[in-house]
Structures are given as C-alpha cells and as structure tokens.
Amino acid sequence: MRSWKSRSRSKMQTLETRTRLLQGAQLTQLLLGAILCLTIASHTQTSAEAAGGRASGPGAETSEGAGTSSASAASTAISSDESGDPSSATAFSSLAQVSSLLPEASALSATSGLVEPYLDGYATSNVTTQIGTHAYLPCRVKQLGNKSVSWIRLRDGHILTVDRAVFIADQRFLAIKQPDKYWTLQIKYVQARDAGSYECQVSTEPKVSARVQLQVVVPRTEILGEPDRYVKAGSNVVLRCIVRGALEPPTFIMWYHGAEQLAADSRRHRTQLDPNLPEASGEGQSTIGSLIIESAKKRDTGNYTCSPSNSPSATVTLNIINGESSASAVTSSAATTRAYALSILALLLSVILIGVGHRT
C-alpha cells in the first residue's frame, strides 16, 4: 500500500512538472507574439508617415484630394516595399529574426520548467548481501541542480551522509557519486545489525525520497559429529566443517589447532574443499571443508577450529587415547559412573518402599 502511494505521488509530481512546462512554453509564445505584433504596427506606422510626407505638396488640398493622396500614399508604401525600401527591409528582417527565435525560446522554456529533481526508479527497493561483504544501496536522481542528496538510517533517524560529507563516526559508511547520476551509499564489511531500512532524500519542498531495504544473510557453520571426540592413537581422523545458507561458497576454509594455523598440505595433515553440494532438503547448496589427520598421535589432542572466508567459525575438541590402557581407563570410568547411578536409584526405591510399609 505504501509503495502504491509513493508511486502515485511520483506520478503526480511528474504531471505537475509537465503542466508547468506547458504553461511556460505557452507564456513564452504569447510574449513573442506580442513583440511580433508591436514590430508590425511600428513598421506600418513608419511607412504610412513616410508616404504621407512624400504625397503632400505646396498649397492646401480638398478632402477629396486628401483621400486621393492617402490612397496614393498607401500605394506608394506598398510599391516602396516591393521596390526594396531600406526601412521596410530592416523591419521585415527584424520580424524574421524574431520568428527564428521561437524554437529556441520554446526550448529555453522547456529547460527552465524541469528545475525540480526527481528519482528514477521504484519508491522502495531491496538489496541482499552477505555478512562480511560490501553493500551498495542505489539512489538515482535526475535534474538535481543545486539540491542536496542525503542518506538516512530509519531505525534511529541518523543522518549518515549529505552529498559526499559523512555524518557518522562509523567509517564503514561512504557516499559515492557515480557518473550515471547514482548517489550510492556504500557499507563496508556488513554486519548483521546493519540490516533494515535506509532512505535517500533530495532537499526539495516537499521532499523527494526513496527507501532501500537491506537484508543481511548470515551463513551457518558447524563441524559434523559430537563436540568432543575420542580417537585411538595411530588411527586416521577426518573432521568435516559444513557451511550452509551462503549466497556464494567460501573461497577457502582455514583450519587451526589451538592458535596454530595448519598447512593445507603437510606430511600429516591434509585439507579438502567440496563446494556447491546440494542440501538434503533440496533448498540451496552447501560447502564442506575437511581436515584429514593421518596416524593421530597424543600431541594431536586439543581444539580444532574451521574458519571459512565468509561465515563464522566452529570448534571441536579432539582427544587422542594412548593404547588399550587409556581406552580401558575411559571404559572403567564410564562403568563406575553407571554403577553409581544405579546405586542412587536403588536407594531411592528403598526409601519409597519403607514409607509405604509404615503407612500400612
């Protein structure tokens, strides 16, 4: 509904601009027509006076003679025009110049009528970007003239930019003036909190504005399996890190053992990247990065983190068990815990049975 109202307002503004343009052109043509009429009248009066002066002679004439003289003067004026009288030629030359100015005057009137800026495009648009990338919010303004273009963040009413000047301490925001009349708001290294509505405003009265809705996509990262792994020493270990919901697959996935970055290809560690794998749900695609540890040793115990180029990191803990003794220790510890839980359960049942016996 709001978008329809905005489009209607834009159409009304365009109609008003065209009306002002037509009125300006008509006014110009009326003024030029008046100048043309005055020029013709002045030329006619000058020619008549000149003819009357040449027709008058010594002595007085009768009214009939005066009428004859007037006709003769008119005839003389016409003949002098046809014979190339200098004053007549000058007048008609001026008339021709005025007529030739009509198209230029109309064009000038058209130019002066389009002084009000207007926005080219929809009143509301959507931009979708991924966290960590750069976002570009477009605003195309035509016939800007000496007006200003501002960007407003609507959730808090904060003025971000006015023309190229920036009015926010966050240096990620920047106004870019492009050759094709676009005033683009750039947001670098987009964060999830940047999502929301932004408004491009032109300093007219009433104001001309357009809104851009920014949507920020945050991919999900996880390492498949349990967060704590127990592996026997000497076996091969494969850790798989999956990235879901990204607009574009990550260009790389880095692996860390604690704070140490692991090389992609070493004697004991290998990494593998499988992008654009179809999701089981049939919606979208995912990327899997694998870390392969060959012949795991006790020193391989610790935290392993996968860090994709365009999504959050994920961590898993790997425990390497030395031989059968360590495995049996883990098993006996689990058995002891189970026996303790059973003992507590038996004690609770005994208390319940004793209570029932006393009541009976």
Side-chain angles (χ1 to χ4, degrees), residues 311-328:
S311 64
S313 301
T315 301
V316 67
T317 301
L318 183 63
N319 300 279
I320 306 299
I321 301 171
N322 279 333
E324 296 180 358
S325 59
S326 297
S328 60

Side-chain angles (χ1 to χ4, degrees), residues 293-311:
I293 305 173
E294 296 181 354
S295 185
K297 295 180 170 49
K298 185 67 175 177
R299 65 181 182 218
D300 293 323
T301 297
N303 292 333
Y304 285 83
T305 302
C306 72
S307 180
S309 61
N310 60 352
S311 64

Side-chain angles (χ1 to χ4, degrees), residues 148-152 159-167 175 183 203:
S148 297
V149 178
S150 305
W151 276 100
I152 314 295
I159 299 175
L160 302 174
T161 64
V162 177
D163 292 337
R164 288 188 175 90
V166 180
F167 292 90
W183 283 91
S203 60

